[in-house]
CSV table of all heavy atoms in Angstrom, one decimal:
chain,number,residue,atom,x,y,z
A,271,ARG,N,-14.2,-5.7,-7.9
A,271,ARG,CA,-14.4,-7.0,-7.4
A,271,ARG,C,-15.3,-7.7,-8.5
A,271,ARG,O,-16.5,-7.4,-8.6
A,271,ARG,CB,-15.1,-7.0,-6.1
A,271,ARG,CG,-15.3,-8.4,-5.5
A,271,ARG,CD,-15.8,-8.4,-4.1
A,271,ARG,NE,-16.0,-9.7,-3.5
A,271,ARG,CZ,-15.1,-10.5,-3.0
A,271,ARG,NH1,-13.8,-10.1,-3.0
A,271,ARG,NH2,-15.4,-11.6,-2.4
A,272,PRO,N,-14.7,-8.7,-9.2
A,272,PRO,CA,-15.5,-9.4,-10.2
A,272,PRO,C,-16.5,-10.4,-9.6
A,272,PRO,O,-16.3,-10.8,-8.4
A,272,PRO,CB,-14.5,-10.2,-11.0
A,272,PRO,CG,-13.3,-10.4,-10.0
A,272,PRO,CD,-13.3,-9.2,-9.1
A,273,PRO,N,-17.6,-10.6,-10.2
A,273,PRO,CA,-18.0,-10.2,-11.6
A,273,PRO,C,-18.8,-8.9,-11.6
A,273,PRO,O,-19.0,-8.3,-12.7
A,273,PRO,CB,-18.8,-11.4,-12.1
A,273,PRO,CG,-19.5,-11.9,-10.9
A,273,PRO,CD,-18.6,-11.7,-9.8
A,274,PHE,N,-19.4,-8.5,-10.5
A,274,PHE,CA,-20.4,-7.4,-10.5
A,274,PHE,C,-20.0,-6.2,-9.7
A,274,PHE,O,-20.8,-5.3,-9.5
A,274,PHE,CB,-21.8,-7.9,-10.1
A,274,PHE,CG,-22.3,-9.0,-10.9
A,274,PHE,CD1,-22.5,-10.3,-10.3
A,274,PHE,CD2,-22.5,-8.9,-12.3
A,274,PHE,CE1,-22.9,-11.4,-11.1
A,274,PHE,CE2,-22.9,-10.0,-13.0
A,274,PHE,CZ,-23.2,-11.2,-12.4
A,275,GLY,N,-18.8,-6.2,-9.1
A,275,GLY,CA,-18.4,-5.1,-8.3
A,275,GLY,C,-18.6,-5.4,-6.8
A,275,GLY,O,-18.9,-6.5,-6.4
A,276,PRO,N,-18.3,-4.3,-6.0
A,276,PRO,CA,-18.1,-2.9,-6.4
A,276,PRO,C,-16.6,-2.7,-6.8
A,276,PRO,O,-15.8,-3.5,-6.7
A,276,PRO,CB,-18.4,-2.2,-5.0
A,276,PRO,CG,-18.0,-3.2,-4.0
A,276,PRO,CD,-18.4,-4.5,-4.6
A,277,ARG,N,-16.4,-1.4,-7.1
A,277,ARG,CA,-15.0,-1.0,-7.4
A,277,ARG,C,-14.6,-0.1,-6.2
A,277,ARG,O,-15.3,0.9,-5.8
A,277,ARG,CB,-14.9,-0.2,-8.7
A,277,ARG,CG,-13.5,0.2,-9.0
A,277,ARG,CD,-13.5,1.0,-10.4
A,277,ARG,NE,-14.0,0.2,-11.4
A,277,ARG,CZ,-13.3,-0.7,-12.1
A,277,ARG,NH1,-12.0,-0.9,-11.8
A,277,ARG,NH2,-13.8,-1.3,-13.1
A,278,ALA,N,-13.4,-0.3,-5.6
A,278,ALA,CA,-12.9,0.5,-4.5
A,278,ALA,C,-11.4,0.6,-4.8
A,278,ALA,O,-10.7,-0.3,-5.2
A,278,ALA,CB,-13.2,-0.2,-3.2
A,279,ALA,N,-10.9,1.8,-4.4
A,279,ALA,CA,-9.4,2.0,-4.7
A,279,ALA,C,-8.6,1.0,-3.9
A,279,ALA,O,-8.8,0.8,-2.7
A,279,ALA,CB,-9.1,3.5,-4.2
A,280,ALA,N,-7.6,0.4,-4.6
A,280,ALA,CA,-6.6,-0.4,-3.9
A,280,ALA,C,-5.8,0.4,-3.0
A,280,ALA,O,-5.5,1.6,-3.2
A,280,ALA,CB,-5.8,-1.2,-4.9
A,281,LEU,N,-5.3,-0.3,-1.9
A,281,LEU,CA,-4.5,0.4,-0.9
A,281,LEU,C,-3.3,-0.5,-0.5
A,281,LEU,O,-3.3,-1.7,-0.6
A,281,LEU,CB,-5.3,0.7,0.4
A,281,LEU,CG,-6.4,1.7,0.3
A,281,LEU,CD1,-7.2,1.7,1.5
A,281,LEU,CD2,-5.9,3.1,-0.1
A,282,GLY,N,-2.3,0.2,0.1
A,282,GLY,CA,-1.3,-0.5,0.9
A,282,GLY,C,-1.5,0.0,2.3
A,282,GLY,O,-2.4,0.8,2.6
A,283,PHE,N,-0.7,-0.6,3.2
A,283,PHE,CA,-0.9,-0.2,4.6
A,283,PHE,C,0.5,-0.1,5.3
A,283,PHE,O,1.4,-0.9,5.0
A,283,PHE,CB,-1.7,-1.2,5.4
A,283,PHE,CG,-3.1,-1.2,5.0
A,283,PHE,CD1,-3.5,-2.1,4.0
A,283,PHE,CD2,-4.1,-0.4,5.5
A,283,PHE,CE1,-4.9,-2.2,3.6
A,283,PHE,CE2,-5.4,-0.4,5.1
A,283,PHE,CZ,-5.8,-1.3,4.1
A,284,VAL,N,0.7,0.9,6.2
A,284,VAL,CA,1.9,1.1,7.0
A,284,VAL,C,1.5,0.8,8.4
A,284,VAL,O,0.6,1.6,9.0
A,284,VAL,CB,2.5,2.5,6.8
A,284,VAL,CG1,3.7,2.6,7.7
A,284,VAL,CG2,2.8,2.8,5.4
A,285,ILE,N,2.0,-0.2,9.0
A,285,ILE,CA,1.8,-0.6,10.4
A,285,ILE,C,2.9,0.0,11.2
A,285,ILE,O,4.1,-0.2,11.0
A,285,ILE,CB,1.8,-2.1,10.5
A,285,ILE,CG1,0.6,-2.7,9.7
A,285,ILE,CG2,1.6,-2.5,12.0
A,285,ILE,CD1,0.7,-4.3,9.6
A,286,THR,N,2.5,0.8,12.3
A,286,THR,CA,3.5,1.6,13.0
A,286,THR,C,3.3,1.3,14.5
A,286,THR,O,2.2,1.4,15.0
A,286,THR,CB,3.3,3.1,12.7
A,286,THR,OG1,3.5,3.3,11.3
A,286,THR,CG2,4.4,3.9,13.5
A,287,GLY,N,4.4,1.1,15.1
A,287,GLY,CA,4.5,1.0,16.6
A,287,GLY,C,5.9,1.3,17.0
A,287,GLY,O,6.4,2.4,16.5
A,288,SER,N,6.6,0.5,17.7
A,288,SER,CA,8.0,0.7,18.0
A,288,SER,C,8.9,0.5,16.7
A,288,SER,O,10.0,1.0,16.6
A,288,SER,CB,8.5,-0.2,19.1
A,288,SER,OG,8.4,-1.6,18.7
A,289,SER,N,8.3,-0.2,15.7
A,289,SER,CA,8.9,-0.3,14.4
A,289,SER,C,7.8,0.0,13.3
A,289,SER,O,6.7,0.2,13.7
A,289,SER,CB,9.5,-1.8,14.2
A,289,SER,OG,10.5,-2.0,15.1
A,290,ARG,N,8.2,-0.1,12.1
A,290,ARG,CA,7.3,0.3,11.0
A,290,ARG,C,7.4,-0.7,9.9
A,290,ARG,O,8.5,-1.0,9.4
A,290,ARG,CB,7.6,1.7,10.5
A,290,ARG,CG,6.6,2.2,9.4
A,290,ARG,CD,6.9,3.6,9.0
A,290,ARG,NE,6.4,4.6,10.0
A,290,ARG,CZ,6.4,5.9,9.8
A,290,ARG,NH1,6.9,6.4,8.6
A,290,ARG,NH2,6.0,6.7,10.7
A,291,VAL,N,6.2,-1.3,9.5
A,291,VAL,CA,6.1,-2.3,8.5
A,291,VAL,C,5.2,-1.8,7.4
A,291,VAL,O,4.0,-1.4,7.7
A,291,VAL,CB,5.6,-3.6,9.1
A,291,VAL,CG1,5.5,-4.7,8.0
A,291,VAL,CG2,6.5,-4.1,10.2
A,292,TYR,N,5.6,-1.9,6.1
A,292,TYR,CA,4.8,-1.5,5.0
A,292,TYR,C,4.4,-2.8,4.2
A,292,TYR,O,5.2,-3.6,3.8
A,292,TYR,CB,5.6,-0.7,4.0
A,292,TYR,CG,5.0,-0.4,2.7
A,292,TYR,CD1,3.7,0.1,2.5
A,292,TYR,CD2,5.8,-0.5,1.5
A,292,TYR,CE1,3.2,0.4,1.3
A,292,TYR,CE2,5.3,-0.2,0.2
A,292,TYR,CZ,4.0,0.2,0.2
A,292,TYR,OH,3.5,0.5,-1.1
A,293,PHE,N,3.1,-2.9,4.1
A,293,PHE,CA,2.5,-4.0,3.3
A,293,PHE,C,1.9,-3.3,2.0
A,293,PHE,O,1.0,-2.5,2.1
A,293,PHE,CB,1.3,-4.7,4.1
A,293,PHE,CG,0.5,-5.6,3.2
A,293,PHE,CD1,1.0,-6.6,2.5
A,293,PHE,CD2,-0.9,-5.4,3.1
A,293,PHE,CE1,0.2,-7.4,1.7
A,293,PHE,CE2,-1.7,-6.2,2.4
A,293,PHE,CZ,-1.1,-7.2,1.6
A,294,ALA,N,2.5,-3.6,0.9
A,294,ALA,CA,2.1,-2.9,-0.4
A,294,ALA,C,0.9,-3.4,-1.0
A,294,ALA,O,0.3,-2.7,-1.9
A,294,ALA,CB,3.3,-3.1,-1.4
A,295,GLY,N,0.3,-4.6,-0.6
A,295,GLY,CA,-0.8,-5.1,-1.3
A,295,GLY,C,-0.4,-5.5,-2.7
A,295,GLY,O,0.6,-6.0,-2.9
A,296,ASP,N,-1.4,-5.3,-3.6
A,296,ASP,CA,-1.1,-5.4,-5.0
A,296,ASP,C,-0.8,-4.0,-5.6
A,296,ASP,O,-1.7,-3.1,-5.4
A,296,ASP,CB,-2.2,-6.1,-5.8
A,296,ASP,CG,-2.0,-7.6,-6.1
A,296,ASP,OD1,-1.0,-8.1,-5.6
A,296,ASP,OD2,-2.8,-8.2,-6.7
A,297,THR,N,0.2,-3.8,-6.3
A,297,THR,CA,0.5,-2.5,-6.9
A,297,THR,C,1.6,-2.6,-7.9
A,297,THR,O,2.4,-3.5,-8.0
A,297,THR,CB,1.0,-1.5,-5.7
A,297,THR,OG1,1.0,-0.2,-6.3
A,297,THR,CG2,2.3,-2.0,-5.2
A,298,ASP,N,1.5,-1.6,-8.8
A,298,ASP,CA,2.7,-1.4,-9.7
A,298,ASP,C,3.6,-0.3,-9.0
A,298,ASP,O,3.2,0.2,-7.9
A,298,ASP,CB,2.2,-0.9,-11.0
A,298,ASP,CG,3.1,-1.2,-12.2
A,298,ASP,OD1,4.4,-1.4,-11.9
A,298,ASP,OD2,2.7,-1.2,-13.3
A,299,LEU,N,4.7,0.0,-9.6
A,299,LEU,CA,5.6,1.0,-9.1
A,299,LEU,C,5.0,2.4,-9.3
A,299,LEU,O,4.4,2.7,-10.3
A,299,LEU,CB,6.9,0.9,-9.9
A,299,LEU,CG,8.1,1.5,-9.3
A,299,LEU,CD1,8.6,0.8,-8.0
A,299,LEU,CD2,9.3,1.5,-10.4
A,300,PHE,N,5.1,3.2,-8.2
A,300,PHE,CA,4.6,4.6,-8.3
A,300,PHE,C,5.5,5.5,-7.5
A,300,PHE,O,6.0,5.1,-6.4
A,300,PHE,CB,3.2,4.7,-8.0
A,300,PHE,CG,2.8,4.3,-6.5
A,300,PHE,CD1,2.6,5.2,-5.5
A,300,PHE,CD2,2.7,2.9,-6.2
A,300,PHE,CE1,2.4,4.8,-4.2
A,300,PHE,CE2,2.4,2.6,-4.9
A,300,PHE,CZ,2.2,3.5,-3.9
A,301,PRO,N,5.7,6.7,-7.9
A,301,PRO,CA,6.7,7.6,-7.3
A,301,PRO,C,6.5,7.9,-5.8
A,301,PRO,O,7.4,8.1,-5.1
A,301,PRO,CB,6.7,8.9,-8.1
A,301,PRO,CG,6.1,8.5,-9.4
A,301,PRO,CD,5.1,7.4,-9.1
A,302,GLU,N,5.2,7.9,-5.4
A,302,GLU,CA,4.9,8.2,-4.0
A,302,GLU,C,5.5,7.2,-3.0
A,302,GLU,O,5.5,7.5,-1.8
A,302,GLU,CB,3.4,8.3,-3.8
A,302,GLU,CG,2.7,9.5,-4.5
A,302,GLU,CD,2.4,9.2,-5.9
A,302,GLU,OE1,2.8,8.2,-6.5
A,302,GLU,OE2,1.7,10.0,-6.5
A,303,MET,N,5.9,6.1,-3.5
A,303,MET,CA,6.6,5.2,-2.6
A,303,MET,C,7.8,5.8,-1.9
A,303,MET,O,8.2,5.5,-0.8
A,303,MET,CB,7.1,3.9,-3.3
A,303,MET,CG,6.0,2.9,-3.6
A,303,MET,SD,6.7,1.5,-4.5
A,303,MET,CE,5.3,0.4,-4.6
A,304,GLY,N,8.4,6.8,-2.6
A,304,GLY,CA,9.5,7.5,-2.1
A,304,GLY,C,9.3,8.3,-0.9
A,304,GLY,O,10.2,8.6,-0.1
A,305,ARG,N,8.0,8.5,-0.5
A,305,ARG,CA,7.6,9.2,0.7
A,305,ARG,C,8.0,8.4,1.9
A,305,ARG,O,8.1,8.9,3.0
A,305,ARG,CB,6.1,9.6,0.7
A,305,ARG,CG,5.8,10.7,-0.3
A,305,ARG,CD,4.3,10.7,-0.6
A,305,ARG,NE,3.4,10.4,0.5
A,305,ARG,CZ,2.1,10.1,0.4
A,305,ARG,NH1,1.5,10.0,-0.8
A,305,ARG,NH2,1.4,9.8,1.5
A,306,LEU,N,8.1,7.1,1.7
A,306,LEU,CA,8.5,6.2,2.9
A,306,LEU,C,10.0,5.9,2.9
A,306,LEU,O,10.4,5.1,3.8
A,306,LEU,CB,7.7,4.9,2.7
A,306,LEU,CG,6.2,5.0,2.7
A,306,LEU,CD1,5.6,3.6,2.4
A,306,LEU,CD2,5.6,5.6,4.0
A,307,HIS,N,10.7,6.6,2.1
A,307,HIS,CA,12.2,6.2,2.0
A,307,HIS,C,12.9,6.4,3.4
A,307,HIS,O,12.8,7.4,4.0
A,307,HIS,CB,12.8,7.2,1.0
A,307,HIS,CG,14.3,6.9,0.7
A,307,HIS,ND1,14.7,6.0,-0.2
A,307,HIS,CD2,15.4,7.3,1.4
A,307,HIS,CE1,16.0,5.9,-0.2
A,307,HIS,NE2,16.5,6.7,0.8
A,308,GLY,N,13.5,5.3,3.8
A,308,GLY,CA,14.3,5.3,5.0
A,308,GLY,C,13.6,5.2,6.2
A,308,GLY,O,14.2,5.3,7.3
A,309,THR,N,12.2,5.1,6.2
A,309,THR,CA,11.4,5.1,7.5
A,309,THR,C,11.0,3.7,7.8
A,309,THR,O,10.3,3.5,8.9
A,309,THR,CB,10.2,6.0,7.3
A,309,THR,OG1,9.3,5.4,6.4
A,309,THR,CG2,10.6,7.4,6.8
A,310,LEU,N,11.3,2.7,7.0
A,310,LEU,CA,10.7,1.4,7.2
A,310,LEU,C,11.7,0.3,7.8
A,310,LEU,O,12.8,0.3,7.3
A,310,LEU,CB,10.2,0.9,5.8
A,310,LEU,CG,9.1,1.7,5.2
A,310,LEU,CD1,8.8,1.2,3.7
A,310,LEU,CD2,7.8,1.8,6.0
A,311,ASP,N,11.2,-0.4,8.7
A,311,ASP,CA,12.0,-1.6,9.2
A,311,ASP,C,11.7,-2.8,8.4
A,311,ASP,O,12.6,-3.7,8.3
A,311,ASP,CB,11.6,-1.8,10.7
A,311,ASP,CG,12.0,-0.6,11.5
A,311,ASP,OD1,13.2,-0.4,11.8
A,311,ASP,OD2,11.1,0.2,11.9
């Protein structure tokens, strides 16, 4: 967080109820996205 911090790991979020919604936040592509393959509405 500019200009003086802090630094905290960026996250996405998976909202789950009767359906499932993934909010990626800010991110580049990374292989672990594949863990959600086919589970998202």
Side-chain angles (χ1 to χ4, degrees):
R271 184 169 178 82
F274 304 116
R277 184 180 300 277
L281 296 172
F283 293 94
V284 180
I285 300 167
T286 300
S288 59
S289 296
R290 183 178 283 187
V291 179
Y292 170 49
F293 168 57
D296 259 5
T297 188
D298 205 339
L299 198 67
F300 59 100
E302 289 86 349
M303 285 181 176
R305 289 161 39 195
L306 300 176
H307 184 90
T309 69
L310 300 172
D311 296 287

